[in-house]
Each structure stands twice: as C-alpha cells, then as structure tokens.
Amino acid sequence: MLPHDPLTKHFRLTTVQLSALKRLGISSIEELLRHFPARYDQGGSESAIAGLVAGTEVTIFGTIGNLETRRSWKRKIPVGEAVIRDASGSIKIMWFHQPYLAKKFHDGMYVKAIGTVTGKTGKPYLANPHVEVADPSEVGLFADTKAPATAGKLFAIYPESRGVTSLWFRHALERVFANGVHSRIDDSIPTDIRARYNLPDIGAALVWIHTPEKMPHAEAARKRFAFEEIFTIQVTRARERAENDTQSSFPIKDGADHAERFLSTIPFSPTSAQKRAIKDILDNFSSPHPMARLLEGDVGSGKTLVAATSAHAVVNSRPPNRQSGTLQVAYMAPTEILAQQHFQSFIEFFSHLPINIALMTGSGCKKFPSKVSKGKATDISRAQLLKWVASGEIAMLVGTHALIQKAVKFQHLAFCIVDEQHRFGTRQRRALAHKGDAAPHFLSMTATPIPRTLALTIYGDLDISVLDELPPGRAKVKTVIVTKEKRAEAYESVRRELASGRQAFVICPRIEEPDPAKIHALQAKSAKAEAKRLQKDIFPEFRIGLLHGSVKPAEKDEVMRQFAAHEIDILVATSVVEVGINVPNATVMLIEGAERFGLAQLHQLRGRIMRSSHPPHCFLLPETAGEVAMKRLRALEKSDDGFKLAEADLENRGAGDLFGRQQWGVTDLGMEALKNPRLIAAARAEAQKLVAKDPSLSNYPALAQRVASAGQELHGE
Ligand code: ADP
Ligand code: MG
C-alpha cells in the first residue's frame, strides 16, 4: 500500500460509496488519511431514551424505524422522520429541510444519534440530529449495560456524505494504519520549523488526529495540520509575491502633485483614511516593481475616490521615451451595471482632461468624449475600441470580465484596478496583468469584511490598505430586530417608506444544506415563495421583482436595471445574489432568517441601503428567538464597523460556518487556525523566510508537492 495508490486498489467499494468519496474529494490512500474528523465523541457518554430532558444535547443508541418523508403542515417544508428505540423507550427524530436523510437508513438498523432534545415535555423529539450507523464496539447493546472497555474512548466523527459513514471511515483507516502507510508520507513541513513550534511529524499526527487516546493528542495533531495548511498557502502567496517583485513596471512620477491637482477638482476633502491609502499607492507607483495591493473598506467608505486619484496620476503620465500619449488604466467591475456606473463616475471625474475613456461589456462598447457631440459618450464597435486600446488612444478602459479576453491588448497598460476581487480568480487577475510589456500596478478593492488573519492568508501576496473611516455626514443605518409579534409593525414602516417614494430590499435566508448543489434550488424556492406571498398578502399595491442564484445573467441585469430605474419597488433576493448595485433610493431592507447569516455578511447586506441622504432602515427578522442568536444579532444594532463584526463572527462561531470554504479555498480546520493570530503570523514569517532562501523550493520536494496539490484546490475559482 502506497500513499498515492487509488483506494479501489485496496478497498472493495460500491458505486454509492465511490461517488460519495468522490464528492468528498477522496480517491487515494493519502486523501483518505487527509480526510480529518470534524470532532470526537466519548464512548460511554450515551443516555437512556426514557430519561431524556428537553434542552440537553444527548447521544443515544438504538434501532431506527418508522422512516418516512413528508412536508410539515404549517410551513410546508420537507421533513424526514424516524423513531429510535432502546430498551428504555423511544423518541422521534425530525430532519427539517433534509428529508433525504431518512432514506439513508432502513428499519432495524442499529444507530447512534447526537442532537438536542426539543419539544414539550411528554412529546420530546430530536431536531436535525446527526445520525450514523453505530459501531457495536462503541457500546453494549443497551444503554444501561454499556461495555466498560469503551467508556472514555474517543471516537472520530467524520464529515460524511450519503453512502459513507463515520463507521466506514474508522474501519478503513484501521486497515490503512495497520499497513503502516502513514509513516511513508514525506513531511511537507521542514524539520526545523516543526521543532520551533513543537509540531508532531506527519506520521504521528495522522494517528493522533484519527485515533487519539486523549484529547490533547488530537489537539496537537489538529494544530499541526492547521499550521501545514496555512503555511502551504503562505508559501504559495510568498512565491507569487516574489515573482511580482522581479517584474518591472512603468514608473509614475510626481504622484503627489497629480493627486493634489485632482483632489482640488472634487467638491469634498478626502478622509484621513483615504489620504493614507492614496499615499500608499503613490509610493508604490514610484518604485520600479509593480504594486500588488488590496484596498479594504466598508461599503460607502469611498474606495472609488482612492481609485480615481491614483488613476488620475497614471493617465497624466507619459509612456517612457514618448512625446505624446499617456499610460493606460484598466478598471474591472464585477457586474455590467457596476461597470456602467463607474464609467459614468470616471467621465465626471476626468471630463476636464484631454483623454479618452471607454466602456467594454458583453452587451456593447462606448467611448467618451464623442467626436460629434463633445461632453457625451457614444456607442462604438468592439473592433474599433480594441484598435484604440491597442494603439493607446484610450487612456482609461472600464469594463467587466470582457476586459480579460485574449483579444484585448493594451499599448501601455500601467495600472489595473479590480473591484471586489474575490469574484475574480487569481488566474483572471493574472490574465489581465499579462497584457502589454511592463507588468501593471495592481489594486484590488473589496468591501467584504473579513477578519485580519483571513485577509493575511488569502491575500498574503498583497500589501493591504484599510479605509476604516466613513466620509462625514453619512446617515447611520437604523437596525432593529423584529420579533414575530412585531412583524406587522415592521411591514407598516416599510409601507410608509415605499409610499413616500423609497424602495426596499427583502433578503431571503441562507439555507443550511449539506449538499451545496441543492442550495441554489432551495434558496430560489424560498425567494420565489416570499415574493409571491408579499405581493398577494402584504404589499399588493407595490411592484415586486425577484432575483436568485438560478436567474440567468441577462435577466439578472434586467431586473437590476428595473430596480435602479424605480420600475420595481421591492426587490426580493437571495443572499447569493450580488446586490452590489448603487440605488440611492433604496433605503429599506428586510432580512428574513437573519440568525442564519454571519454578522459580517448581514453588515455587508445592509451596506446596500447606506447610499442615500434619507435615513436607512434595516429590519432583521429571525426565525427563532434563541438567546444566543439574539445576542449575536444585537451586536448589529450596536456596531457599524464591518471588520469588527467579522472578528466577532470568528470568535463566536467556527469561521467555517460563516465564510464558506468554497469561497476562500480554506478548509474548516484551516479556518479554525484563523482564530489564532500567532499561528498565522508564525506560518507567514516562516514561509517568507523559506521562499526568500529557496524560491523554487528545490530543497523542499515534499513542500513543493503539497503547494502544487493545494494550488489546484485554491485556484478552483
Ligand atoms: P465604496 O467604498 O463603497 O466604493 P464609494 O466610492 O462609492 O464607496 O463612495 C460612496 C459615496 O461617498 C460616493 O457618493 C462618494 O462620492 C462619496 N464620498 C467618497 N469620499 C468622500 C469624502 N471624503 N467626503 C464625502 N463624500 C465622499
Ligand atoms: Mg465601490
């Protein structure tokens, strides 16, 4: 047995198991070893069903039966049901939104269930418990005669997929460990680094993480793998940065003078945070290597002004050894509507300059100024625009993804600005950067509030500037938590706002669903149903629009346009939908199922209604009124600092819950590590030191291999 052997070489697998393993990304022995437990259960801690008390978390063993699926009679949501019996009694279990779980088991199977006892006395049930086929070695046949040998023993509980249970993993790994293959994996963390931080080597860590004798062993192993993951990302980022720093860029001189001249043309003065960010950028412009910088700032913090001031310095600079022409700027926005809005803003900012500004999107191209009517933009053909971009006549090109097509070639591209970069993958970013001869300075802008440790990790190759201050005089969003009884009142306030000519967003909940493929469909359904209900029962007099993840891009743009043009009063949308559109007249937001969101995400959503001088209102409508949920949501009533809220999220709950590993390419274990700033700092410093010494990693083959295989996951965007 070798680490890279396919599982099928050593295990007989059913097609169901094969596809389940594939979903979990496991096809080799090493990948099996790297599928880590989500948590551990202690044997001997189970309860007898007869004695269960509502409100407690319990582990029970018993036979499962009465399996069925149906829809709940009140809310019509799909539910899976079953009953678990032991010698002492029986209890009902219900899986809301996950009816298929009931099909995973069949009558008479011996199972273990972990969950919280819910419901009134006399009618208790377990809601959404974790249920798995039980290992007879974990327990005696009946709760009151448990086998003493297993009391206190730790059992690994794995992230499962339909078809492979924790029990399957434990048995499979037992065979792998018996074979000794785990000690034949090369350690990707260099020995000296392991020694400095007291990290177990890979062989020991694999045993400890899967079959720990005591919790401290499991913890040490988890720390090692968390470090390994962060270290691997940091090495990748450090190499990207090193590569960046070997390239040369167009020098942009006299930045401070250009900035001063530009800022004197706008009607307000920059905040001190904006001034700092502008200075950071201009300093980078004067260096011979391309800038690689991230500008983080809450919605409304004024990132556009920072971008415009720095772009102004570029379009006022000549290419080297030229008597005419200017350096060029590319500005990439995440949606067509935003590209159009930015095109307009830049026309306003730069209309006094003798330069051409152009817009390129999937649905057409425009140029400013028009030859015939000065002061206006005009439609031009794509072919013509491409020619002018290539000859350098267009100083500033604004657009969407269309900007990174192969056909787009610049003459002297000196500066790339990418708005909301996490929507563009690293690959796309590079594609944009590789046009023209010298490498362009690169500025990425984001309003996504993420904790600092996460920013340092996923944007580890970028320098960071933060806008931690809003321009003065901005109306604060009034945020209120609306309990079930107060719902009608909230709708009345919304009606008043709508009647006085404002517009509203209604955001439908994130749905927790173990199978990501199902999220879109379920969310679409909840948004559709809500739009229908609001139109029929609550707001029949207003025009309601609908946006969700399954709406086609063209249709989505059309709905956004209608909302911007006030042809729609209420926009019902799911959180997966980018509502990053500037509609100053939208001043009300209702967020259904608010407790299902992270604080940072809620904060970002409500940022959409901060753009007007009318006082904005945000209503949070939680589905449950549990103390923990309410406490979390109250933080939003009090704080309006997105980055602080993101830190609070990280502390309160597992980061994995909140940010989603697909989004950032970091596993749940890596996300745990983000709670530990010292670990992040150490991994980063070690990675930078190592890459400075050996950029090609030629002395670290195991690390190079880890970097390569993690890279495939990371660049999956
Ligand atoms: P974001 O960071 O979300 O992209 P914008 O750049 O769109 O924010 O700025 C939001 C609004 O604030 C715009 O209307 C902009 O003109 C205004 N603004 C930006 N900077 C300042 C400032 N220093 N003082 C006053 N208003 C400002
Ligand atoms: Mg913006």
Side-chain angles (χ1 to χ4, degrees):
M1 197 186 276
L2 291 168
H4 295 291
D5 283 352
L7 279 184
T8 44
K9 190 168 166 191
H10 304 282
F11 292 90
R12 201 152 2 112
L13 298 168
T14 65
T15 44
V16 175
Q17 285 170 327
L18 264 175
S19 62
L21 289 164
K22 193 168 159 222
R23 270 199 300 280
L24 295 168
I26 304 169
S27 61
S28 70
I29 300 286
E30 179 164 353
E31 281 159 354
L32 175 66
L33 280 164
R34 285 184 174 278
H35 182 67
F36 299 139
R39 56 194 174 82
Y40 305 90
D41 273 353
Q42 201 141 42
S45 58
E46 62 274 11
S47 322
I49 291 175
L52 298 183
V53 179
T56 52
E57 212 209 48
V58 295
T59 302
I60 55 173
F61 285 86
T63 38
I64 197 163
N66 302 47
L67 289 147
E68 62 170 310
T69 60
R70 61 176 182 88
R71 285 188 175 270
S72 71
W73 59 274
K74 243 209 291 214
R75 289 167 57 211
K76 297 280 174 268
I77 50 178
V79 197
E81 281 187 3
V83 171
I84 297 181
R85 292 184 182 79
D86 71 4
S88 68
S90 67
I91 185 167
K92 191 165 170 169
I93 61 179
M94 306 230 251
W95 291 288
F96 299 102
H97 288 299
Q98 307 171 31
Y100 57 87
L101 286 178
K103 302 206 173 103
K104 208 170 120 173
F105 305 97
H106 45 82
D107 279 5
M109 271 181 162
Y110 192 65
V111 298
K112 163 172 166 178
I114 301 153
T116 304
V117 185
T118 317
K120 300 188 198 79
T121 355
K123 261 192 125 181
Y125 64 95
L126 293 183
N128 291 334
H130 168 89
V131 180
E132 63 177 45
V133 179
D135 184 344
S137 70
E138 273 183 61
V139 73
L141 260 184
F142 299 103
D144 52 350
T145 59
K146 60 183 94 114
T150 61
K153 189 169 173 213
L154 293 172
F155 291 93
I157 308 291
Y158 291 89
E160 293 177 13
S161 187
R162 199 168 164 182
V164 279
T165 59
S166 286
L167 181 59
W168 184 88
F169 280 112
R170 288 198 292 264
H171 283 164
L173 283 160
E174 204 174 299
R175 273 181 54 200
V176 172
F177 284 127
N179 186 282
V181 65
H182 58 288
S183 51
R184 292 196 285 276
I185 297 178
D186 293 325
D187 204 321
S188 66
I189 311 180
T191 322
D192 58 322
I193 297 182
R194 263 189 351 249
R196 261 198 292 290
Y197 304 100
N198 249 327
L199 302 170
D201 69 38
I202 183 139
L206 284 169
V207 174
W208 286 358
I209 203 165
H210 290 291
T211 56
E213 261 163 37
K214 11 181 200 180
M215 267 324 263
H217 284 173
E219 279 152 18
R222 296 182 86 81
K223 187 172 147 205
R224 181 227 132 88
F225 287 113
F227 183 93
E228 180 186 273
E229 179 173 343
I230 302 295
F231 178 66
T232 306
I233 297 175
Q234 291 289 0
V235 167
T236 308
R237 296 291 176 260
R239 291 176 82 200
E240 285 170 353
R241 183 60 198 226
E243 195 197 320
N244 179 80
D245 292 352
T246 61
Q247 296 177 332
S248 54
S249 58
F250 290 113
I252 294 146
K253 298 193 199 83
D254 310 321
D257 296 342
H258 289 304
E260 200 176 317
R261 228 172 325 122
F262 173 69
L263 291 169
S264 71
T265 67
I266 56 160
F268 40 77
S269 36
T271 64
S272 36
Q274 284 171 322
K275 279 189 208 150
R276 275 197 304 274
I278 291 168
K279 181 170 184 308
D280 289 344
I281 294 170
L282 297 176
D283 283 351
N284 290 157
F285 277 179
S286 65
S287 113
H289 304 298
M291 167 171 78
R293 182 169 291 281
L294 173 72
L295 178 62
E296 276 186 332
D298 251 351
V299 172
S301 58
K303 294 184 288 297
T304 315
L305 182 69
V306 175
T309 310
S310 37
H312 177 267
V314 176
V315 298
N316 276 294
S317 299
R318 288 240 184 285
N321 312 318
R322 293 280 185 123
Q323 303 309 312
S324 64
T326 71
L327 293 177
Q328 293 172 292
V329 178
Y331 187 116
M332 187 148 73
T335 66
E336 193 151 333
I337 307 243
L338 281 170
Q340 271 156 15
Q341 283 181 356
H342 281 116
F343 179 57
Q344 277 312 321
S345 312
F346 280 100
I347 289 176
E348 279 156 40
F349 284 136
F350 295 160
S351 58
H352 61 288
L353 298 175
I355 60 161
N356 293 313
I357 305 173
L359 173 71
M360 176 186 287
T361 67
S363 61
C365 302
K366 281 185 196 303
K367 173 179 159 292
F368 174 90
S370 143
K371 283 224 169 75
V372 258
S373 54
K374 289 249 167 348
K376 281 223 173 99
T378 178
D379 289 328
I380 58 170
S381 75
R382 199 179 120 83
Q384 185 60 65
L385 178 56
L386 289 177
K387 241 185 246 165
W388 280 335
V389 171
S391 67
E393 254 159 283
I394 304 291
M396 171 136 199
L397 180 61
V398 180
T400 53
H401 283 74
L403 288 198
I404 57 170
Q405 289 157 356
K406 270 216 182 66
V408 188
K409 296 221 162 52
F410 291 85
Q411 170 86 316
H412 293 114
L413 179 60
F415 185 25
C416 285
I417 304 164
V418 178
D419 210 350
E420 284 307 336
Q421 91 125 135
H422 70 276
R423 306 200 177 265
F424 300 105
T426 316
R427 234 185 304 129
Q428 291 157 309
R429 194 174 105 194
R430 277 211 204 100
L432 189 54
H434 275 180
K435 304 193 184 288
D437 33 9
H441 297 289
F442 176 77
L443 180 68
S444 170
M445 307 200 290
T446 181
T448 307
I450 57 173
R452 192 175 154 67
T453 48
L454 179 59
L456 281 177
T457 302
I458 56 180
Y459 302 125
D461 55 329
L462 305 179
D463 297 318
I464 300 182
S465 299
V466 182
L467 297 184
D468 51 5
E469 180 182 4
L470 290 184
R474 200 62 60 77
K476 281 219 159 80
V477 182
K478 192 161 186 309
T479 302
V480 273
I481 303 172
V482 180
T483 50
K484 281 221 166 62
E485 313 79 65
K486 295 272 169 79
R487 194 172 259 268
E489 274 175 48
Y491 284 141
E492 273 321 298
S493 351
V494 174
R495 189 185 314 282
R496 272 197 300 279
E497 291 293 313
L498 293 173
S500 68
R502 305 282 85 74
Q503 288 162 276
F505 289 102
V506 174
I507 306 294
C508 290
R510 188 176 83 167
I511 289 168
E512 274 137 71
E513 190 21 62
D515 183 352
K518 293 195 178 131
I519 291 176
H520 279 295
L522 272 175
Q523 288 199 328
K525 214 165 131 200
S526 83
K528 271 185 215 157
E530 183 63 8
K532 221 165 158 187
R533 189 184 73 86
L534 289 175
Q535 186 77 79
K536 190 164 156 276
D537 301 341
I538 316 282
F539 298 116
E541 72 272 42
F542 294 110
R543 296 160 298 181
I544 297 184
L546 176 64
L547 269 190
H548 52 73
S550 325
V551 172
K552 296 204 182 66
E555 197 182 324
K556 180 174 150 186
D557 280 351
E558 174 57 13
V559 175
M560 297 260 230
R561 187 200 62 74
Q562 288 176 346
F563 192 57
H566 202 168
E567 291 162 22
I568 289 173
D569 301 297
I570 303 173
L571 183 61
V572 178
T574 58
S575 60
V576 290
V577 164
E578 168 62 46
V579 282
I581 177 180
N582 192 359
V583 183
N585 192 46
T587 59
V588 184
M589 179 174 283
L590 285 107
I591 306 180
E592 293 285 346
E595 80 278 24
R596 293 167 178 262
F597 294 88
L599 297 178
Q601 203 187 0
L602 289 168
H603 175 72
Q604 214 192 356
L605 286 167
R606 74 179 170 178
R608 306 296 171 212
I609 51 169
M610 283 207 309
R611 306 209 152 216
S612 146
S613 49
H614 296 284
H617 296 276
C618 176
F619 298 99
L620 306 176
L621 306 159
E623 282 166 9
T624 58
E627 201 32 52
V628 184
M630 292 308 255
K631 200 171 150 207
R632 272 183 62 238
L633 293 180
R634 265 181 230 124
L636 275 159
E637 291 184 316
K638 285 189 218 107
S639 174
D640 56 3
D641 180 335
F643 292 88
K644 277 213 189 88
L645 290 167
E647 301 282 346
D649 268 341
L650 185 58
E651 258 161 49
N652 289 343
R653 300 166 50 171
D657 293 348
L658 304 169
F659 305 107
R661 63 198 226 160
Q662 285 105 337
Q663 193 176 0
W664 304 118
V666 179
T667 68
D668 294 348
L669 189 59
M671 282 290 180
E672 272 304 297
L674 297 173
K675 288 186 184 174
N676 184 346
R678 281 172 51 208
L679 185 154
I680 302 295
R684 183 170 167 81
E686 294 291 352
Q688 288 173 342
K689 213 161 71 186
L690 187 144
V691 169
K693 212 169 55 187
D694 183 4
S696 63
L697 308 180
S698 49
N699 295 317
Y700 303 93
L703 176 58
Q705 209 186 359
R706 198 77 217 123
V707 165
S709 64
Q712 281 163 12
E713 287 152 35
L714 280 174
H715 299 315
E717 325 99 326

